[in-house]
């Protein structure tokens, strides 16, 4: 898999029926290792190891309904109150991050109302904070550490 603009982490990999699988510590199972999953697993580890977010507050592929359509967020990090705090949208490294990507995560946030949005393809990371008074997103250099 491609090297990313994130720290290196050790992952459990295995092969099954000509597919490479990666162990997802949050879901407690092996999942197919796609380029997008590679980015997601790195970003989860980054949130836990570098930003100190507790594993217990992180959800993967959380389902939500938008305009009667079922959608899934890549990563949601909850505040200790249970309210969504961060939504992360992961793309494969070869996928260019465009306005469509931001529109997608903004639609998710209409339902979740998180404080921070992150869009990443593993090479580029965009961090935004929702300014509820101005009803705009403010781009940041990084997100705050947990606590």
């Amino acid at each position: 898999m491609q090297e990313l603009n994130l720290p290196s982490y050790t992952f459990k990999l295995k092969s099954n029926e000509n597919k490479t699988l990666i162990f997802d510590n949050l879901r407690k199972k092996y999942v197919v290792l796609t380029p997008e999953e590679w980015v997601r697993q790195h970003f989860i580890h980054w949130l836990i190891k570098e930003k100190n977010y507790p594993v217990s507050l992180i959800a993967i592929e959380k389902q939500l309904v938008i305009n009667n359509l079922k959608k899934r967020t890549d990563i949601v990090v909850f505040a200790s109150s249970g309210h969504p705090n961060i939504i992360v949208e992961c793309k494969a490294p070869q996928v260019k991050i465009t306005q469509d990507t931001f529109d997608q995560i903004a639609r998710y946030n209409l339902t979740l109302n998180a404080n921070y949005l992150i869009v990443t393809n593993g090479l580029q990371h965009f961090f935004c904070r929702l300014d509820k008074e101005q009803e705009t997103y403010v781009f940041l250099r990084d997100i705050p550490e947990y606590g």
Side-chain angles (χ1 to χ4, degrees):
M1 280 284 152
Q2 182 173 348
E3 191 173 316
L4 303 176
N5 184 15
L6 289 162
S8 293
Y9 300 106
T10 303
F11 298 101
K12 290 187 220 172
L13 302 174
K14 74 177 186 179
S15 191
N16 186 19
E17 297 178 5
N18 295 327
K19 290 182 182 173
T20 302
L21 306 175
I22 187 167
F23 189 76
D24 182 319
N25 287 321
L26 275 71
R27 291 181 274 187
K28 303 286 188 226
K29 67 178 184 178
Y30 281 93
V31 295
V32 175
L33 179 57
T34 62
E36 182 178 321
E37 190 63 42
W38 184 241
V39 172
R40 179 175 20 226
Q41 291 301 319
H42 272 81
F43 212 85
I44 290 166
H45 277 69
W46 181 80
L47 286 167
I48 294 166
K49 295 179 188 295
E50 314 307 324
K51 294 296 181 179
N52 301 311
Y53 284 91
V55 172
S56 61
L57 296 180
I58 301 173
I60 299 173
E61 293 192 335
K62 178 170 175 43
Q63 184 174 299
L64 54 117
V65 178
I66 300 173
N67 296 330
N68 296 321
L69 297 173
K70 290 182 181 177
K71 301 288 184 180
R72 291 187 186 277
T73 59
D74 286 323
I75 304 168
V76 177
V77 182
F78 292 90
S80 55
S81 66
H83 182 272
N85 188 38
I86 303 169
I87 305 172
V88 183
E89 179 62 31
C90 300
K91 298 295 183 190
Q94 69 273 16
V95 174
K96 187 176 180 189
I97 295 174
T98 64
Q99 185 62 49
D100 287 343
T101 313
F102 285 99
D103 292 346
Q104 176 186 0
I105 198 169
R107 278 191 304 275
Y108 292 173
N109 203 35
L110 290 174
T111 300
L112 295 174
N113 198 27
N115 298 313
Y116 296 94
L117 305 180
I118 301 171
V119 177
T120 181
N121 63 5
L123 303 173
Q124 291 182 293
H125 322 291
F126 296 93
F127 306 97
C128 310
R129 179 182 51 80
L130 177 60
D131 182 337
K132 293 178 182 178
E133 287 180 12
Q134 300 294 321
E135 295 183 350
T136 61
Y137 291 100
V138 178
F139 282 84
L140 308 169
R141 291 183 151 194
D142 202 350
I143 57 165
E145 284 191 30
Y146 179 76

